[in-house]
Amino acid sequence: MKVATYGSDGAAGAERALPETPFDGVVNEDVLHQVVTAVLANRRQGTASTKTRSTVRGGSRKPWRQKGTGRARAGSIRSALWRGGSVVFGPQPRSYRVRVPRRIRRLAIRSALNTRAMNGDLALIEPLGFDPPKTRHVAALLAGIGRASENILFLTAGHKPDVHLSARNLPGVRVLPWGEASAYDILWSDLVLVESSVFDAAGDSAGEGEA
């Protein structure tokens, strides 16, 4: 599987073949769905809370006597039938945490990378370095590629604070070290730019990502 390559200025280069690991051309859509759903669930705060009959303030006294008034019997103003009363079966604070096995996370990341590569939305870029960090450097790079208005994910060879500082003010641009991006991060992006030095190193594991 071959992909496009770019220089640090956005100039296109010759196509380059990707390594068979993790780019084996296999896409498991069921695993992708499972992991993306888990990532979104794990991001939920779970802080929604409503008051039950026992927690609504007031209502310790019977509003009126049981018989003789002509009105329906009522025992408390905390009833869900009353304005300002309780909520029946309302949400309570809870955890939406979903655990995904490590092997499933890795398989999902491989499937996401293969999806982007096969669709032509993954490319290699020469090692980046901005000294001093400037947003205009990344903006010029994306303009040279012609994808400035899309969601871009940079996968760098290790932590590169200068690249992160240069890209953090650009909307729709994320910078993550190779091996720390989740399947959701990869699918979120319209274009994945991977530093070519990632595959020159000994370890080419796709990592585990989020979830």
Side-chain angles (χ1 to χ4, degrees):
M1 188 184 307
K2 291 185 176 181
V3 295
T5 61
Y6 296 99
S8 58
D9 57 352
E15 289 189 343
R16 177 175 169 180
L18 294 172
E20 295 184 0
T21 303
F23 298 96
D24 53 5
V26 177
V27 177
N28 191 318
E29 294 184 0
D30 292 337
V31 168
L32 281 176
H33 179 269
Q34 178 182 348
V35 170
V36 170
T37 302
V39 169
L40 296 178
N42 294 342
R43 292 184 179 183
R44 297 186 65 175
Q45 291 183 319
T47 56
S49 178
T50 55
K51 290 188 176 182
T52 63
R53 186 168 180 145
S54 63
T55 55
V56 174
R57 183 178 178 181
S60 59
R61 178 177 60 85
K62 189 174 176 66
W64 52 75
R65 56 184 179 149
Q66 183 82 351
K67 295 179 178 295
T69 64
R71 289 180 289 185
R73 54 193 175 185
S76 173
I77 63 172
R78 291 185 289 189
S79 169
L81 303 177
W82 284 60
R83 182 175 180 270
S86 61
V87 176
V88 179
F89 302 129
Q92 294 295 319
R94 54 163 291 190
S95 172
Y96 290 91
R97 187 74 188 172
V98 178
R99 181 185 173 276
V100 179
R102 180 181 304 173
R103 293 179 63 183
I104 298 298
R105 293 200 299 268
R106 289 179 173 176
L107 180 58
I109 292 173
R110 289 191 175 195
S111 296
L113 289 173
N114 282 310
T115 298
R116 284 287 169 259
M118 290 188 295
N119 292 339
D121 296 323
L122 185 144
L124 299 181
I125 191 168
E126 67 180 24
L128 301 174
F130 305 119
D131 187 22
K134 293 292 183 181
T135 303
R136 67 171 179 265
H137 296 325
V138 179
L141 166 61
L142 297 180
I145 296 176
R147 309 286 289 267
S149 61
E150 302 180 13
N151 293 333
I152 308 296
L153 174 63
F154 286 94
L155 297 179
T156 60
H159 291 274
K160 291 195 172 181
D162 56 333
V163 180
H164 172 74
L165 292 174
S166 300
R168 66 179 179 177
N169 287 334
L170 293 174
V173 178
R174 295 181 185 176
V175 178
L176 291 173
W178 174 264
E180 293 190 12
S182 68
Y184 179 82
D185 294 324
I186 298 169
L187 294 179
W188 163 86
S189 61
D190 298 313
L191 175 65
V192 180
L193 292 174
V194 186
E195 284 190 324
S196 57
S197 57
V198 166
F199 304 119
D200 297 335
D204 56 358
S205 172
E208 298 176 14
E210 187 180 354

